[in-house]
Amino acid sequence: MKKNFKIFAGSANYLLAKKVAQNLGVALGKAEVVHFADGECRVRVEEELGSGTIFVFQPLCPPVDENLMELSLFGNTLKRNGARKLVAIVPYLSYARQDKVHRKGECLSAEVVAKIIEASDFEKLITFDVHSEKALSFFKIPTENLSTLPVLAETVSSIFRAGKEKADALEDCAVVAPDKGATGRVQRLAKALGVKVVVIEKDRDLLTGRLKIKGVKGEVAGKRVVICDDMITSGGTLVLAAEFLKHQKVSEIFACAVHPLLVKSAPQDLQKSAIKKIITTDIIPVPKEKRFKKLEVVTVASLIASAIENNL
Ligand code: R5P
């Protein structure tokens, strides 16, 4: 493959960016990212950019706003230094949950993020398993929403297959959408596994953030289930869904989620939960202190590398 492209990475997930670059047989572009004492950031490109496409890799995980600003400054400096085509690879697009004005008086944050990225001279955005496709509708530049669920499906199916004949490994299994909004998204996992989807009916109080389960659409009793979500933030959704499913007499509970934010006591709560194993990706770094026994982190470096190849 002709290596007429470069990949730069902000500090959000440098390790994964490095793996992606290694997959493509290139080194990451040289840049300096400095954070001053007052929190301000400065980015400086330290190499010639050539004439190929320049990719900037930066998931918008915590510190969300800092990472967004870094991405934005990368766009600015790369354009000023002669980049011809700039593509933002933002595998986790934060603010996508704020895709509408939920209550009178609120800002439309997803629209603001789209404007910031566009104003930073990016000509395309590539993301993975975005929370809401609507958040992408605010972009005037082309966007691509790819999915890591086929990779997660491979891990789930090898867990299900362990100790079983291939033919009956997925018998009596179901994929669980933890809320109505997740139904479309989880179809991808269900399709890859060849099993049915059941949907939990959940309500979240917008003021308190408290969750309440009202019921489930579909048969779960006696089944091995895998709850599939786009992200784990506090872990509340998964813990509550698992508790509910346990009372519905499922035989085993697994979970998979693409973006492991794992804030506050999520690792401890999930370790204590009724879930047997939780599979996630390395899109967001999971430091040692957030790792727990039931968590398995699967790399999606080669999937992201393919996305880059397809955009050359
Ligand atoms: C909600 O609509 C999302 O898809 C996730 O279910 C939610 O953000 C997960 O958050 P938590 O882990 O805090 O329940």
Side-chain angles (χ1 to χ4, degrees):
M1 187 187 37
K2 224 171 113 213
K3 306 277 168 29
N4 190 21
F5 67 95
K6 284 182 190 283
I7 309 169
F8 286 84
S11 39
N13 193 348
Y14 201 79
L15 195 67
L16 177 57
K18 228 169 140 184
K19 281 191 196 163
V20 171
Q22 267 162 10
N23 258 273
L24 293 163
V26 297
L28 285 176
K30 288 200 182 81
E32 179 193 61
V33 180
V34 175
H35 287 273
F36 295 105
D38 65 351
E40 255 182 40
C41 170
R42 185 187 63 204
V43 174
R44 193 168 68 93
V45 173
E46 296 180 316
E47 64 177 66
E48 290 305 314
L49 298 179
S51 60
T53 303
I54 309 283
F55 297 87
V56 181
F57 183 90
Q58 182 83 324
L60 298 183
C61 50
V64 168
D65 297 341
E66 218 171 85
N67 287 333
L68 175 62
M69 193 62 191
E70 267 190 19
L71 173 71
S72 190
L73 297 181
F74 260 102
N76 179 278
T77 188
L78 288 164
K79 196 69 186 178
R80 284 176 175 280
N81 283 278
R84 280 190 44 210
K85 185 177 179 192
L86 272 178
V87 177
I89 304 190
V90 183
Y92 170 60
L93 184 68
S94 56
Y95 286 103
R97 279 176 291 187
Q98 296 187 52
D99 61 346
K100 61 179 174 218
V101 175
H102 295 275
R103 287 172 301 161
K104 190 174 176 288
E106 280 179 358
C107 51
L108 189 49
S109 311
E111 181 187 53
V112 176
V113 170
K115 283 185 177 165
I116 292 174
I117 293 174
E118 279 168 0
S120 311
D121 290 311
F122 288 101
E123 284 165 55
K124 180 168 183 174
L125 173 104
I126 300 174
T127 190
F128 285 82
D129 302 289
V130 71
H131 176 74
S132 139
E133 293 267 355
K134 178 138 192 282
L136 300 181
S137 70
F138 299 115
F139 285 87
K140 293 194 179 74
I141 56 173
T143 59
E144 214 177 319
N145 175 31
L146 301 171
S147 181
T148 61
L149 289 177
V151 176
L152 293 179
E154 275 173 37
T155 311
V156 173
S157 97
S158 67
I159 292 171
F160 280 168
R161 275 206 306 267
K164 290 222 173 202
E165 289 301 316
K166 203 173 175 183
D168 57 26
L170 295 173
E171 238 177 50
D172 290 326
C173 292
V175 171
V176 179
D179 55 42
K180 225 168 121 200
T183 317
R185 202 181 307 127
V186 307
Q187 297 285 2
R188 278 178 165 150
L189 183 78
K191 207 170 155 206
L193 290 170
V195 302
K196 284 203 173 127
V197 171
V198 295
V199 184
I200 285 181
E201 293 174 301
K202 170 189 103 171
D203 251 356
R204 189 188 286 269
D205 186 314
L206 285 178
L207 280 178
T208 62
R210 206 164 295 140
L211 299 169
K212 205 173 135 199
I213 291 188
K214 298 190 296 189
V216 63
K217 266 196 185 141
E219 275 301 310
V220 284
K223 292 195 174 174
R224 306 167 93 191
V225 295
V226 50
I227 312 165
C228 176
D229 212 350
D230 58 333
M231 64 182 92
I232 310 173
T233 312
S234 67
T237 301
L238 288 185
V239 171
L240 194 73
E243 208 45 43
F244 172 78
L245 291 164
K246 196 173 90 183
H247 288 109
Q248 304 298 307
K249 309 236 175 316
V250 298
S251 69
E252 271 182 321
I253 307 169
F254 296 87
C256 71
V258 178
H259 306 295
L261 294 148
L262 296 167
V263 303
K264 296 183 187 160
S265 60
Q268 294 81 353
D269 297 345
L270 289 165
Q271 180 60 33
K272 277 191 289 183
S273 74
I275 305 169
K276 202 167 173 190
K277 195 167 193 76
I278 298 147
I279 302 126
T280 190
T281 77
D282 58 350
I283 281 179
I284 294 173
V286 186
K288 237 185 179 168
E289 62 277 12
K290 286 190 179 181
R291 302 242 169 184
F292 52 101
K293 248 178 144 184
K294 289 182 177 177
L295 187 74
E296 179 171 343
V297 182
V298 177
T299 187
V300 289
S302 68
L303 194 69
I304 296 176
S306 306
I308 291 182
E309 277 179 322
N310 293 337
N311 275 277
L312 293 177

